Amino acid sequence: MTVNLTAELADARILAVIRGTDTAGAIAAGTALLEEGVRLVEVALTTPDAPRAIEALRAAAPAGSLVGAGTVLTAADVADVVAAGAQFVVTPAVVESIAEAARRGVPVAAGAFTPTEAYTAMRMGASAIKLFPASVGGPAYLKAVRDPFPDIPFVAVGGVGLADVPGYFRAGAIAVGLGGPLVGDAASGGDLAALRERARTYLAAVQESTGS
């Protein structure tokens, strides 16, 4: 079944980014997030044995949840993560994996920072643009980039703290991507109880900001 990533992001509002130093820790963190109601989880390929973590999270994911792969750079990366069951891919930049994922019918949130990069990535077949690193310019920069491209769906990723969430949604982000501020050290074997509490706090903040 083809995933409409843009619609899923706009509905879920949160994309959790798992980037750890331990495979088991990444699986445990992703499982905890899914159990707390975070519906979109990506596992960065910088995580040891990321494909195995993707496979495990796909097996554990509740109905209505999606598990994807992040830091997907090359055509070979796309092949590896698709084989592991990734339902979407995310890139940190405008790279060859965008066109390859689109060719395979796998939705991709492409990393871009400038208007030129955002436009180029969409032309390559991206479903959405991951504005990264969003914290460099904040919500005001997102709004400025969106103004000439009102039809491009943007996800703000990179240093999005709890207090920043409302501003990004007011600036037009369809979702926020949350790595360190949400996951902390949980994907490297850290405190899962604290992760669950942060997840509940972020989910509540998103609901308050968007009414959804």
Side-chain angles (χ1 to χ4, degrees), residues 2-14 39-40 64 66 107-108 127-128 153-155 174-175 212:
T2 302
V3 170
N4 185 333
L5 183 60
T6 305
E8 295 288 349
L9 285 164
D11 189 49
R13 296 291 197 166
I14 287 178
R39 290 170 34 209
L40 274 69
L66 298 175
V108 53
S127 299
F154 282 93
V155 181
I174 64 166
S212 61

Side-chain angles (χ1 to χ4, degrees), residues 38-145:
V38 176
R39 290 170 34 209
L40 274 69
V41 173
E42 72 166 88
V43 179
L45 290 189
T46 52
T47 302
D49 205 359
R52 182 161 70 86
I54 291 167
E55 289 177 358
L57 291 175
R58 275 297 309 272
S65 301
L66 298 175
V67 178
T71 323
V72 178
L73 303 176
T74 66
D77 287 342
V78 175
D80 289 343
V81 301
V82 168
Q87 294 164 288
F88 62 91
V89 301
V90 183
T91 80
V94 180
V95 289
E96 69 179 62
S97 57
I98 299 169
E100 176 63 14
R103 185 186 71 79
R104 289 171 172 263
V106 179
V108 53
F113 187 70
T114 68
T116 299
E117 290 171 348
Y119 180 76
T120 301
M122 292 299 290
R123 294 272 295 185
M124 291 172 69
S127 299
I129 295 300
K130 172 181 120 175
L131 185 70
F132 176 79
S135 60
V136 171
Y141 181 72
L142 169 62
K143 181 182 182 305
V145 175

Side-chain angles (χ1 to χ4, degrees), residues 147-210:
D147 281 348
F149 300 119
D151 296 329
I152 293 181
F154 282 93
V155 181
V157 183
V160 180
L162 189 64
D164 305 317
V165 169
Y168 282 114
F169 286 128
R170 285 194 300 269
I174 64 166
V176 291
L178 305 171
L182 169 61
V183 180
D185 65 353
S188 300
D191 189 341
L192 292 175
L195 170 64
R196 289 178 180 274
E197 180 60 33
R198 288 192 298 273
R200 290 191 288 268
T201 301
Y202 266 101
L203 286 165
V206 167
Q207 185 171 20
E208 183 176 346
S209 298
T210 65

